[in-house]
Amino acid sequence: MSAVKTTKAVMSQSLKHANIVARRSTDRGHADHGWLNTYHTFSFANYFNPQFKSFGALRVLNEDRVAPNSGFPFHTHRDAEIFSYVLSGELTHRDSMMGKGAAGATDSKDNYYRIRRGDVQFTTGGSGISHSEHNEHSSETVHFLQIWALPWKTGLTPRYHDLTVEEDKKRQGFVTIISPLKAGKQASPAQENAAIPAVPGTIPIHADMLMGASIIPSNSSAVWSIGGNEAVSSKKDRHVYIHLPMTRAGKSKVRLPDGTVLAEGDGAFVTEVNAGDALEVRSVGVVEAEVVILDSN
């Protein structure tokens, strides 16, 4: 039996118990403010749907496009884990823990974070932090995912992290980008400062959550190990959300183990799954598909 056929056989057995429900792009909340074109998977701002307020620890999943020379002015967050995943263009982040100087010729990150495709910028709002996110490019729109998670504890010390994920690695399979703080809910101040994640080389989050991403070539599959091979504390009844961003002009599609096909902008809620289950995502469009997975308790 070939490797591909073997994978399919394992998947058909391991996810028989899964419940998969599509969240179509056209059903998301949407607002076009001119400078901001945004889609909301969950209730956010002026969009409210009592059926879609959160999913596990996942609270916000917005797919945003911000026009050149515009953005979100300084505003305050508390008790939220906030991260941005850039799909194209560049996004400049400043917050109250940094200086507010303009970008210099050296492109130093001492006073700001300027993130581009493949970059993830992460903020723990904790006891309170003010930040801004602007597209300071003169001509290019920035396209990114804005994601919020509910932390396992309130009043945390604000902090931030950033990470760059190589495109080639994502084409080899799912890459884990964010994983729980290894020390867990009872972390000491020293452990908080050390910020060691459960999965080495990832960004630590104050939640029982993993984030992964893959760029899957057409007619190929990538497999996500739910729970990240013992990286999480809650093993049973995981909440896994799959999102296919609008990155390939509508030409990418993926198929899930139950036969559900997602087009660009679509997502899917996967429940009744446990840590250790294997979730296969198959690219069935005419071009490669970039897929983001959010896996929480």
Side-chain angles (χ1 to χ4, degrees):
M1 182 178 285
S2 72
V4 172
K5 289 183 179 179
T6 300
T7 299
K8 288 184 177 180
V10 170
M11 288 307 306
S12 65
Q13 294 173 9
S14 64
L15 283 191
K16 283 183 177 179
H17 54 281
N19 182 44
I20 300 175
V21 178
R23 175 78 159 123
R24 298 300 177 189
S25 179
T26 53
D27 294 332
R28 294 184 294 176
H30 177 239
D32 190 344
H33 303 284
W35 66 274
L36 168 66
N37 188 6
T38 180
Y39 290 83
H40 310 311
T41 296
F42 301 98
S43 296
F44 189 86
N46 293 327
Y47 169 65
F48 178 75
N49 186 324
Q51 291 183 296
F52 301 104
K53 294 192 291 185
S54 62
F55 183 59
L58 179 59
R59 172 62 189 87
V60 171
L61 174 54
N62 293 345
E63 187 163 356
D64 293 344
R65 287 183 174 87
V66 176
N69 295 312
S70 58
F72 304 93
F74 265 81
H75 54 286
T76 300
H77 290 287
R78 295 180 184 274
D79 296 326
E81 305 285 276
I82 303 166
F83 39 111
S84 300
Y85 178 85
V86 178
L87 297 161
S88 64
E90 62 180 41
L91 186 69
T92 300
H93 169 101
R94 294 182 173 86
D95 65 44
S96 52
M97 295 175 65
M98 302 175 178
K100 301 178 184 178
T106 61
D107 213 24
S108 167
K109 289 186 175 180
D110 291 342
N111 294 324
Y112 64 92
Y113 279 121
R114 176 158 293 161
I115 57 176
R116 300 176 174 87
R117 173 162 177 79
D119 292 339
V120 178
Q121 196 280 328
F122 179 96
T123 302
T124 290
S127 58
I129 190 169
S130 295
H131 75 168
S132 67
E133 290 175 305
H134 280 85
N135 178 7
E136 297 182 354
H137 199 278
S138 61
S139 60
E140 293 182 4
T141 295
V142 61
H143 181 198
F144 68 104
L145 300 180
Q146 179 185 172
I147 305 166
W148 299 6
L150 302 172
W152 54 41
K153 183 186 293 187
T154 60
L156 293 162
T157 300
R159 63 185 70 243
Y160 50 84
H161 304 277
D162 68 325
L163 182 70
T164 299
V165 184
E166 296 177 10
E167 300 281 287
D168 287 347
K169 288 185 178 180
K170 287 189 283 188
R171 287 190 170 90
Q172 295 169 19
F174 278 105
V175 177
T176 304
I177 297 170
I178 289 173
S179 69
L181 181 71
K182 187 174 183 179
K185 297 180 183 179
Q186 305 306 319
S188 67
Q191 289 171 323
E192 287 282 356
N193 288 333
I196 297 173
V199 178
T202 64
I203 293 173
I205 187 171
H206 298 94
D208 196 37
M209 173 183 274
L210 299 160
M211 175 188 177
S214 182
I215 300 172
I216 310 172
S218 183
N219 297 316
S220 298
S221 297
V223 177
W224 173 256
S225 177
I226 294 173
N229 297 319
E230 304 300 315
V232 299
S233 56
S234 296
K235 311 296 185 186
K236 300 292 185 180
D237 297 322
R238 302 292 299 172
H239 296 74
V240 180
Y241 192 81
I242 304 166
H243 183 65
L244 180 63
M246 299 181 290
T247 57
R248 300 295 191 269
K251 295 180 180 179
S252 67
K253 292 182 180 180
V254 296
R255 186 175 64 236
L256 305 182
D258 70 340
T260 297
V261 174
L262 304 181
E264 290 185 19
D266 291 348
F269 300 96
V270 183
T271 55
E272 300 177 23
V273 291
N274 304 313
D277 286 342
L279 173 60
E280 181 188 34
V281 181
R282 185 162 185 84
S283 176
V284 295
V286 297
V287 298
E288 64 186 13
E290 184 162 11
V291 179
V292 172
I293 285 186
L294 298 153
D295 175 349
S296 76
N297 60 334

